[in-house]
Amino acid sequence: MGDSKEGAVLDRVDISGIPTPSEQIEFLQKIERLLSEGQFVASYKFALLRALADLSVELGDDSGHALPIPITAIAEEFVELYWRQVRPIYEQGQILRQNTGQQAKIVQIVSRCISRYCGNLSQFQKNYEDWNRTILEVAQVIRLMPLWRLQVVGRRSDEFLYQHSESNESIILKGGVAFCFRRFYSMIRNMVEGSWINFIRSLNLYKLGESLDLPEFLFGSVRAPLSALQPGLLEIQNGLCFYCSHPIRQDSAIDHFIPWSSYPSDLGHNLVLADARCNSKKGNLLPAEAHLEKWLIRTHSFQGNLEDLFLEVNFPFEYPLSVAITRWAYAQTDETNGVTWNLEDERELLTGQWRSLLGPEVTKNTTNQ
Ligand SMILES: [Zn+2]
């Protein structure tokens, strides 16, 4: 039963074009099935799905084309995801189990690196030799384990997401797949995180005290120390709130320009300083196009100062990636006629100006060396 219905999303490798509504629904159903039925002893499948969704946003576009993804790029996503989760839960130094048997290999690798770099991820990333060696080691585990198993449900393999490329260095997301990951990013992220949380909870019943907020611990927003950026941003913004331009007194907040709830990016350029009022009024909405223009002007005028600041406080940044994420966020909001936030309680629809502000889409599959 059911076997004969497979295949609409399948075999789209060479087809370019936007998937039909029924193909999009089928895609979501298949993701749901992977999460509920795919059998895994480790949490890798969650990390892999999450990595593929993130990389579709970061490297892909909305053309419906197939998208090659280097396995090392997936490995980098794994290290960043587990970096947060593998830190000790309490002072006694225990870490959460991510596997039914012995601790998962990638968790062991990341755990070693966390001790070596005292939990400082950007320090680790700057040590190119060690970072690259670790990424290769993690990529090898991904190649052997979750990559071929992800698409096996029951005993049947349904390669609806990707096929392995001949080089063994990358996979190719089939036509329509990156499109669906981008279109349904929030939904898929919520599905993956929900399943991941349940998985961790069931494996760690004895370790979890009442006081641990598991979702926040695993996926919360403070991964990098934001407060270190405060004085520098205040200076760059001339002491004014990024949004309303009123002088900031004591009530400033570091604000994710593209909200963390839309896309969890810790990249420096995405951060602005706002007063508490604007920060709370903005909530989880995307800023209006006028703010986008301001954001671009700030970034161009203060490119050097910003990057010096990020380097000084050891904060990750990658401007082209921030722009790719920003373009994605505006495109998705535009597509669904979503509203943006201007000031106070003002809501605005997009006019399409964001397209000219952000410039033409650049295919950036070449940036992962
Ligand atoms: Zn303000």
Side-chain angles (χ1 to χ4, degrees), residues 3 95 137 212 261 284 353:
D3 286 0
I95 61 174
E137 198 184 349
L212 185 70
S261 60
N284 289 332
Q353 196 203 353

Side-chain angles (χ1 to χ4, degrees), residues 241-246 248 274-279 341 343:
C241 168
F242 178 82
Y243 296 106
C244 70
S245 301
H246 289 146
I248 287 181
D275 52 24
R277 187 171 176 84
C278 286
N279 182 251
W341 172 81
L343 286 172

Side-chain angles (χ1 to χ4, degrees), residues 46-62 65-81 131 135 139 142 147 162 169-173 177-183 185 188-189 263-265 267 318 320-321 324-325 328 361-369:
F46 308 116
L48 181 52
L49 276 172
R50 174 61 195 272
L52 296 178
D54 285 9
L55 290 166
S56 294
V57 170
E58 295 177 11
L59 305 177
D61 57 35
D62 294 315
H65 291 304
L67 176 69
I69 294 188
I71 296 176
T72 48
I74 299 175
E76 291 180 10
E77 294 281 330
F78 264 65
V79 172
E80 290 175 13
L81 278 166
W131 173 254
I135 292 303
I142 292 173
L147 213 45
Y162 51 84
E169 296 301 318
S170 58
I171 56 167
I172 298 173
L173 291 188
V177 169
F179 175 93
C180 289
F181 272 129
R182 292 165 65 87
R183 175 59 51 85
Y185 179 79
I188 291 170
R189 188 176 129 209
Y263 192 81
S265 160
L267 298 171
E318 194 181 335
L321 192 50
I325 294 166
W328 163 82
E361 195 152 36
V362 191
T363 310
K364 52 182 297 297
N365 290 337
T366 49
T367 51
N368 276 283
Q369 299 94 350

